Amino acid sequence: MRILLTGAAGFIAGHVADVARERGHEVVGLDMWLDAAHGPDAPRDPDIIDADLRTATIDPHLEGIDVVCHQAAMVGNGVDAQDLPAYAEHNDAATARLLAAMARAGLDRLVLASSMVVYGDGRYDCPEHGDVPPAVRREDDLAAGRYDPRCPVCGGDITWRLIDESTPFLPRTSYAASKVAQEHFASAWCTLEGARAVALRYHNVYGPGMPADTPYSGVAAIFRSALARGEVPRVFEDGRQVRDFVHVRDIALANVLAIEQVADHPQGLTPYNVASGTPFTIGEMAATLSAAAGAGGPVTTGDYRAFDVRHVVASPQAAADGLGFRAHVPPAEGIAELATAALRTR
């Protein structure tokens, strides 16, 4: 197949392109070389078309394309509310323009990079009220070192549980809201055009070549960058926040499986969690990185941000059933590898 890959110069898309070519596909790459991701002096790859989806004429690049794999996005959670317009423009307006161009070209297959951030803080079980969303964490609880959220009904203790793709959206950040909007635009496009889309909700992606520490970096890059500076990772709260860390090579494989199978899916948008299936705490991740680097630490600081997600862990079963995808890299192994892997510097 001939694939149009947006965001082709990025961390994840580069791995997607490698796997796609290994499996015999042709990849046409687009990227706008966003400074926040690449830096103003990043060398341009002459094989990647320089195009800003917000403003460029996209139609010529869709000629002869079989499927679009849309990875281009402004990433990270955002620093504050002043980032809202940038996320809406880069992630949502650009996606809407891409979908409109695909409709003009008669293209009806899309693989969309989404994220587990659409779920916010996931779902919990209350002994009295059953399946509940978490209440907003209270400042007095956080100041006292009680970091787990309460039941929104009774205020009692609740326990996190695995979430599946039917879990309601509860975005908490600029990035999360933009990813929800991307899925909604893609779903509307499917309805309007009789098209098919697969949305891959990535969990915490890490691996060689990930961007070094910036205000928009994920926690794995922040900890790895600290080690590179000769510092120990500083873990917020009590380090018991639970995540699923999934290696970028597994993310790339999930994308290519979706590219190959999206035409076999029913009309509409089908979401899949892309996860390792192995829950891991932030503290465990920091300790694994530190040990592999031969460093001391980490240090658990007790610092907190009220908007941070406490626990979000998903079931990978739907992706196994629908795409035949299972992660191959165990988090303990992959995170240890990250301790000495090269990062992308800006």
Side-chain angles (χ1 to χ4, degrees):
M1 280 188 287
R2 195 162 188 254
I3 304 161
L4 181 72
L5 177 64
T6 71
F11 165 52
I12 292 173
H15 288 271
V16 173
D18 289 344
V19 173
R21 290 180 177 124
E22 288 167 6
R23 293 171 72 99
H25 303 295
E26 181 184 355
V27 177
V28 177
L30 296 181
D31 204 291
M32 69 164 290
W33 304 94
L34 184 67
D35 284 355
H38 303 285
D41 301 318
R44 280 4 185 204
D45 183 338
D47 293 326
I48 296 175
I49 299 165
D50 193 341
D52 183 344
L53 294 176
R54 297 171 301 169
T55 57
T57 301
I58 304 165
D59 303 68
H61 306 307
L62 296 172
E63 294 178 8
I65 295 297
D66 298 304
V67 58
V68 173
C69 182
H70 185 32
Q71 303 291 320
M74 184 174 171
V75 298
N77 283 326
V79 176
D80 55 36
Q82 299 310 308
D83 284 325
L84 284 164
Y87 279 99
E89 291 161 9
H90 281 282
N91 296 358
D92 303 329
T95 297
R97 293 189 73 253
L98 173 64
L99 294 169
M102 290 176 67
R104 291 192 296 271
L107 265 170
D108 62 356
R109 286 180 277 171
L110 171 72
V111 174
L112 172 68
S114 187
S115 173
M116 56 86 176
V117 297
V118 299
Y119 302 125
D121 211 345
R123 302 292 291 190
Y124 289 72
D125 287 320
C126 172
E128 183 175 353
H129 299 101
D131 173 24
V132 293
V136 175
R137 296 193 296 175
R138 295 172 7 188
E139 179 63 32
D140 59 336
D141 278 345
L142 293 169
R146 178 189 169 120
Y147 303 113
D148 283 321
R150 298 175 181 267
C151 174
V153 181
C154 66
D157 291 340
I158 51 179
T159 305
W160 69 268
R161 64 176 180 82
L162 291 179
I163 54 177
D164 63 20
E165 288 78 1
S166 67
T167 301
F169 292 150
L170 284 172
R172 299 167 67 101
T173 65
S174 306
Y175 177 62
S178 76
K179 283 296 173 182
V180 170
Q182 279 188 311
E183 287 203 28
H184 285 323
F185 275 120
S187 181
W189 166 78
C190 287
T191 300
L192 293 167
E193 298 298 321
R196 291 164 172 78
V198 168
L200 300 177
R201 295 174 181 166
Y202 305 158
H203 284 251
N204 292 69
V205 186
Y206 69 94
M210 70 187 306
D213 187 5
T214 78
Y216 301 95
S217 294
V219 67
I222 291 170
F223 290 168
R224 171 65 177 80
S225 297
L227 291 168
R229 295 191 300 268
E231 303 169 2
V232 297
R234 296 178 61 81
V235 181
F236 278 17
E237 301 183 10
D238 57 4
R240 297 177 184 170
Q241 310 94 308
V242 184
R243 300 289 190 274
D244 186 302
F245 293 93
V246 58
H247 198 280
V248 69
R249 289 197 296 266
D250 286 324
I251 292 285
L253 175 60
N255 271 276
V256 178
L257 290 172
I259 287 166
E260 294 171 345
Q261 298 176 58
V262 62
D264 300 325
H265 280 63
Q267 179 182 323
L269 182 141
T270 304
Y272 292 112
N273 291 314
V274 183
S276 72
T278 304
F280 222 65
T281 69
I282 299 291
E284 288 171 334
M285 187 271 284
T288 300
L289 265 179
S290 297
V299 173
T300 302
T301 68
D303 294 337
Y304 60 84
R305 298 177 299 187
F307 64 81
D308 278 343
V309 168
R310 180 63 176 169
H311 308 298
V312 58
V313 184
S315 167
Q317 191 59 50
D321 294 340
L323 296 174
F325 168 76
R326 290 191 184 278
H328 296 290
V329 182
E333 175 185 313
I335 290 168
E337 172 196 65
L338 179 65
T340 53
L343 299 184
R344 175 182 296 181
T345 56
R346 298 174 59 251

